[in-house]
């Protein structure tokens, strides 16, 4: 009837079209509300929403060193937000946040006019913080213009429901815990730790403004990648805060004058502090969660927000890694220089062919049905790739084979330090670069230990009743029942006339004497002694065992050496202290493994310790004193294997045991010469540099200033003998230094 009264046809058509559009719009809104375009979450579902939370790994001193996550998120409460963070967020993202009920109609109208009528693409989205929270909780899936409109309407409906379920503070809490800061980082706490290395509650006003400023475009305003645009965006946030009377103009001016300062810390899988250690913790957590599942408890280490406390010492680990980098980068340079153009990775085609055909890319191609020659041809194709070096990563044109050759030449290392009285792991370095070398030389590797095994041989001798002042000739012997095996020393020919006391032979690592001590003691007794000291590796029942041909894990060597300052009791490395849920309720605590029985007598332990003190003071490890100037109470033993393939150093202090190995991933390659590849040159400096660093910090006084217990007078009396005896005149007269004695090796201490 009303339309009939309107005489103008144009107006009538306009009203009909307008009414139709409005009806269609209302029908569209109703269809979204009723779930035609996808189910909407109910108020009950919203109130019980749980988002994924990262599991955090802490050192013994409660410093965060790593996370396990699908989404890097660490939820915190509203009380942890500083007031200026809320002010910055509301100022730049939603000025009328505290006045609307989820939808800012004034802002929506402004955006509609500018975008639709004026075609202004910079008008913005008009979304409130509540709508953005809806998008965070229920990410968009459909694309296209219709999909975008559907999502916008959904988010408006969800935003209204959120504001009926939560108060304003709770909305802000959920928003700041879910919003993305790019790089798979979600939530303000994770972003604060990543960009400023501090908790959210510690953020300064300008720092909070920097992080809030990123929310508009997490890549374009990333202050690490684009510091200038990051600062400009920060200053805009500060301007908005002043405009909304959250800061004065004077405060704004002083804050915008400040330079942009970051303290960026990466919590990525391949980088950060102690990556090998964190991977070992992850493996233990996976086993723990599996056990919990069998007990009816569901914990996912990537989403449950667990808090894991370990024994690692943050400052010790940081110093140990710095010492490793300092030494290994220099050693690598010397190593490559020593080989020059004759390096095996350049000249030994047979070896490199073996390494290439054992590589993962080659095996994958063969598994997929590609012929060996086609695989090699494919691996020879050059492309742009990034290769790592001690100077950093470099982009270059190279083939997969070039890459394999490049990484084959790199020296690697493993080191572990423990409290010898508790077994607590203080530092753990599984390799030189976790991103490129995933193999952990602490938990996975077993290598020949060389002379680092000799203290165990000598301990077995003492335990079998041998006098520490027993003398053994340094003369080389050819053992005819061992296919002419003839172990030698690195000294001069004059050694043929020398007879070493056990103390002097151990401190100077005399190979011929070690074999004779093992011969007199018996191989079976030596292996038994190693077992008592916590070494369960399969050891060779051969005389070469005296020279460390047994392949033993670094972790077991560390546990065995603990016994020398722990009343003869070896310790198993222990590194997990407790696991809590995200509310800090303890789920489980862990204790060190039940200690083994004492592996030797107190007196014999003191004797071997005195021998290893002599190794450091005047033996093969004397450069600790002469070159590095360390005056700490230190005992130790160097180790070098045949053809200089493995270098070891075992350091023993009253409250810390530290074991270091250095070598190459492919054991076919060794150092070119002993002067560079021996334990005192390749492995010892890592410990020495680290200890030198700790000596400068009172924090480490409990370790660096600790003193060995005074040995029993009877021990010193037993060791009070001439270090070396020289053959008499007539014996020297009738002994030919160029002719080796030949005899049979006596099995198991036979007379």
């Amino acid at each position: 009837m009303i339309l009939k009264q309107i005489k103008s046809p144009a107006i009538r058509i306009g009203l009909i079209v307008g009414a139709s559009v409005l009806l269609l719009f209302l029908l569209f809104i109703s269809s979204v509300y009723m779930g035609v375009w996808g189910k909407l979450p109910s108020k009950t579902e919203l109130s019980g929403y749980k988002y994924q939370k990262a599991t955090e790994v802490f050192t013994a001193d409660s410093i965060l060193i790593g996370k396990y996550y699908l989404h890097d998120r660490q939820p915190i409460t509203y009380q942890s937000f500083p007031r200026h963070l809320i002010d910055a967020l509301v100022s730049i993202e939603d000025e009328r946040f505290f006045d609307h009920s989820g939808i800012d109609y004034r802002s929506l109208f402004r955006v509609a006019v500018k975008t639709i009528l004026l075609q202004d693409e910079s008008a913005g989205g008009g979304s409130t913080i509540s709508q953005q929270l809806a998008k965070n909780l229920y990410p968009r899936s459909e694309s296209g213009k219709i999909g975008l409109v559907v999502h916008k309407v959904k988010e408006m409906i969800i935003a209204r429901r959120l504001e009926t379920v939560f108060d304003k503070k709770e909305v802000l809490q959920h928003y700041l815990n879910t919003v993305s800061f790019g790089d798979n980082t979600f939530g303000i706490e994770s972003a604060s730790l990543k960009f400023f290395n501090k908790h959210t509650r510690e953020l300064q006003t300008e720092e909070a403004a920097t992080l809030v400023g990123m929310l508009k475009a997490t890549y374009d305003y990333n202050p690490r990648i684009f510091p200038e645009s990051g600062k400009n965006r920060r200053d805009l946030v500060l301007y908005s805060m002043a405009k909304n009377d959250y800061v004065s103009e004077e405060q704004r001016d002083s804050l915008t004058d400040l330079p942009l300062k970051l303290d960026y810390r990466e919590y990525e899988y391949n980088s950060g502090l102690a990556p090998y250690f964190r991977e070992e913790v992850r493996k233990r957590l996976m086993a723990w969660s599996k056990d919990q599942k069998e007990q009816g408890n569901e914990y996912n280490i990537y989403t449950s927000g667990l808090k894991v406390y370990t024994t690692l010492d943050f400052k010790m680990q940081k110093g140990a890694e710095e010492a490793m980098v300092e030494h290994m980068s220099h050693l690598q340079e010397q190593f490559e220089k020593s080989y020059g153009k004759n390096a095996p990775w350049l000249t030994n085609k047979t070896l490199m062919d073996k390494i290439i055909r054992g590589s993962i890319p080659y095996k994958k191609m063969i598994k997929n049905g590609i012929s060996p020659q086609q695989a090699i041809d494919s691996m020879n194709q050059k492309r742009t790739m990034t290769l790592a070096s001690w100077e950093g990563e470099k982009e270059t044109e190279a083939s997969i084979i070039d890459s394999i050759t490049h990484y084959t030449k790199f020296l690697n290392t493993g080191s572990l330090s423990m409290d010898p009285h508790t077994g607590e792991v203080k530092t753990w370095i599984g390799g030189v670069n976790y991103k490129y070398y995933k193999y952990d030389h602490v938990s996975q590797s077993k290598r020949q230990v060389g002379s680092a095994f000799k203290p165990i041989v000598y301990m077995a001798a003492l335990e079998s009743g041998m006098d520490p002042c027993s003398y053994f000739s340094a003369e080389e012997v050819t053992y005819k029942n061992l296919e002419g095996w003839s172990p030698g020393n690195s000294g001069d020919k004059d050694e043929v006339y020398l007879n070493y006391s056990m103390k002097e032979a151990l401190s100077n690592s005399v190979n011929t004497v070690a074999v004779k001590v093992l011969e007199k003691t018996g191989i079976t007794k030596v292996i038994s002694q190693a077992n008592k000291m916590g070494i369960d590796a399969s050891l060779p029942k051969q005389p070469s065992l005296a020279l460390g041909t047994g392949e033993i894990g670094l972790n077991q060597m560390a546990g065995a050496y603990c016994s020398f300052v722990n009343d003869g009791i070896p310790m198993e490395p222990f590194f997990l202290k407790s696991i809590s849920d995200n509310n800090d309720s303890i789920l489980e605590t862990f204790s060190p493994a039940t200690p083994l029985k004492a592996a030797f007598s107190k007196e014999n332990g003191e004797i071997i310790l005195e021998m290893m003190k002599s190794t450091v003071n005047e033996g093969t490890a004397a450069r600790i004193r002469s070159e590095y100037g360390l005056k700490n109470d230190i005992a130790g033993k160097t180790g070098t294997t045949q053809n200089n393939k493995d270098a070891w150093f075992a350091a023993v202090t009253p409250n810390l045991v530290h074991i270091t190995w250095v070598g190459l991933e492919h054991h076919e390659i060794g150092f070119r010469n002993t002067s560079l590849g021996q334990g005192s040159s390749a492995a010892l400096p890592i410990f020495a540099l680290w200890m030198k660093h700790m000596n400068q910090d009172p924090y480490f006084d409990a370790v660096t200033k600790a003193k060995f217990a005074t040995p029993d007078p009877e021990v010193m009396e037993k060791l009070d003998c001439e270090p070396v005896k020289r053959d008499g005149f007539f014996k020297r007269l009738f002994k030919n230094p160029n002719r080796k004695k030949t005899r049979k090796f006596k099995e198991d201490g036979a007379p």
Side-chain angles (χ1 to χ4, degrees), residues 584-648:
D584 291 321
S585 297
I586 295 176
L587 300 174
E588 190 160 351
T589 57
F590 301 88
S591 302
T594 304
L596 298 171
K597 294 179 180 178
F600 44 78
S601 69
K602 179 177 180 293
E603 180 178 89
N604 286 336
E606 290 183 1
I607 289 172
I608 293 293
L609 189 62
E610 288 301 310
M611 291 180 177
M612 290 197 295
K613 287 181 190 177
S614 181
T615 302
V616 170
N617 293 333
E618 57 209 27
T620 57
R623 65 186 302 192
I624 278 184
R625 306 293 190 204
S626 61
E627 183 176 335
Y628 295 97
L630 298 178
K631 297 179 180 178
N632 315 68
D633 274 19
I634 303 170
K637 186 70 191 78
T638 56
T640 312
T641 63
Q642 193 172 17
N643 297 325
N644 308 305
K645 290 178 179 178
D646 301 278
W648 291 81

Side-chain angles (χ1 to χ4, degrees), residues 21-35:
V21 169
L22 179 62
L23 180 62
L24 287 172
F25 180 71
L26 291 173
L27 287 171
F28 173 71
I29 296 291
S30 299
S31 69
V32 174
Y33 190 86
M34 294 172 65

Side-chain angles (χ1 to χ4, degrees), residues 437-728:
Y437 297 98
K438 292 290 191 287
Y439 192 73
D440 189 340
H441 287 284
V442 173
S443 63
Q444 294 176 286
S445 179
K446 287 186 178 181
R447 302 293 283 249
Q448 290 188 351
V449 294
S451 297
F453 190 77
K454 287 177 182 174
I456 298 171
V457 176
Y458 282 60
M459 179 59 77
L462 294 177
E463 285 288 292
S464 67
M466 196 178 296
D467 190 316
C469 275
S470 300
Y471 287 89
F472 293 85
S473 170
E475 183 180 7
E476 287 189 32
V477 175
T478 299
Y479 297 102
K480 54 187 179 183
N481 60 333
L482 298 175
E483 299 179 352
W485 182 61
S486 180
N489 302 317
S490 57
D492 56 38
K493 289 185 178 180
D494 192 51
E495 266 195 336
V496 72
Y497 303 118
L498 302 181
N499 300 279
Y500 285 87
S501 68
M502 288 179 67
K503 177 183 176 182
E504 192 70 9
L506 181 61
S507 66
N508 286 285
S509 208
V510 184
N511 289 337
T512 53
V513 173
V515 173
K516 290 167 186 174
V517 170
L518 175 134
E519 181 182 28
K520 190 172 181 180
T521 305
I523 295 173
T524 302
K525 287 182 180 178
V526 171
I527 292 176
S528 175
Q529 184 63 55
N531 295 157
K532 290 177 184 176
M533 293 172 71
I535 295 172
D536 61 11
S538 179
L539 299 175
K541 295 179 180 178
Q542 301 291 335
S544 61
L545 176 64
L547 307 182
T549 55
E551 295 181 347
I552 304 172
L554 193 151
N555 49 0
Q556 290 198 356
M557 287 294 287
Y561 267 81
C562 286
S563 63
F564 295 124
V565 280
N566 191 40
D567 299 322
I569 301 171
M571 298 300 295
E572 186 177 323
F574 162 70
F575 57 83
L576 267 187
K577 294 177 80 174
S578 67
I579 301 173
S580 302
D581 63 18
N582 64 294
N583 296 317
D584 291 321
S585 297
I586 295 176
L587 300 174
E588 190 160 351
T589 57
F590 301 88
S591 302
T594 304
L596 298 171
K597 294 179 180 178
F600 44 78
S601 69
K602 179 177 180 293
E603 180 178 89
N604 286 336
E606 290 183 1
I607 289 172
I608 293 293
L609 189 62
E610 288 301 310
M611 291 180 177
M612 290 197 295
K613 287 181 190 177
S614 181
T615 302
V616 170
N617 293 333
E618 57 209 27
T620 57
R623 65 186 302 192
I624 278 184
R625 306 293 190 204
S626 61
E627 183 176 335
Y628 295 97
L630 298 178
K631 297 179 180 178
N632 315 68
D633 274 19
I634 303 170
K637 186 70 191 78
T638 56
T640 312
T641 63
Q642 193 172 17
N643 297 325
N644 308 305
K645 290 178 179 178
D646 301 278
W648 291 81
F649 182 62
V652 179
T653 74
N655 293 326
L656 193 73
V657 166
H658 185 268
I659 308 290
T660 307
W661 165 87
V662 172
L664 283 96
E665 294 288 285
H666 299 282
H667 62 82
E668 297 93 337
I669 305 173
F671 288 87
R672 189 170 191 183
N673 53 64
T674 303
S675 62
L676 191 62
Q678 61 189 345
S680 61
S681 299
L684 177 150
I686 292 178
F687 169 78
L689 289 167
W690 179 49
M691 183 60 74
K692 196 172 182 179
H693 160 77
M694 289 198 290
N695 281 339
Q696 298 169 4
D697 190 340
Y699 173 85
F700 301 111
D701 281 357
V703 170
T704 58
K705 293 186 177 180
K707 300 293 181 182
F708 287 121
T710 304
D712 193 289
E714 290 184 10
V715 169
M716 301 310 293
E717 188 178 333
K718 283 191 172 186
L719 288 167
D720 187 17
C721 54
E722 210 175 327
V724 181
K725 287 183 178 180
R726 188 174 172 82
D727 286 340

Side-chain angles (χ1 to χ4, degrees), residues 288-312:
W288 174 82
S289 63
K290 185 178 179 181
D291 291 341
Q292 289 292 310
K293 188 174 183 180
E294 291 174 358
Q295 297 172 30
N297 302 318
E298 287 283 349
Y299 296 109
N300 186 315
I301 72 167
Y302 302 105
T303 61
S304 295
L306 303 173
K307 296 182 180 180
V308 183
Y309 294 90
T310 71
T311 64
L312 205 75

Side-chain angles (χ1 to χ4, degrees), residues 372-383:
Q373 188 55 52
Q374 286 177 320
I376 295 295
D377 290 342
S378 175
M379 292 171 72
N380 261 317
Q381 297 296 315
K382 293 189 182 294
R383 57 186 175 85

Side-chain angles (χ1 to χ4, degrees), residues 400-444:
I400 295 175
I401 288 179
D402 292 334
S403 172
I404 292 170
T405 303
H406 174 75
Y407 289 115
T408 295
K409 69 182 179 183
F410 277 92
L411 293 165
N412 219 314
T413 188
S415 71
L416 179 72
S417 67
M418 297 166 56
D419 182 326
H421 311 296
T422 64
E424 291 187 356
V425 169
K426 298 299 179 183
T427 68
W428 180 305
I429 298 175
V432 292
N433 188 323
Y434 186 72
K435 184 176 180 180
Y436 295 96
Y437 297 98
K438 292 290 191 287
Y439 192 73
D440 189 340
H441 287 284
V442 173
S443 63
Q444 294 176 286

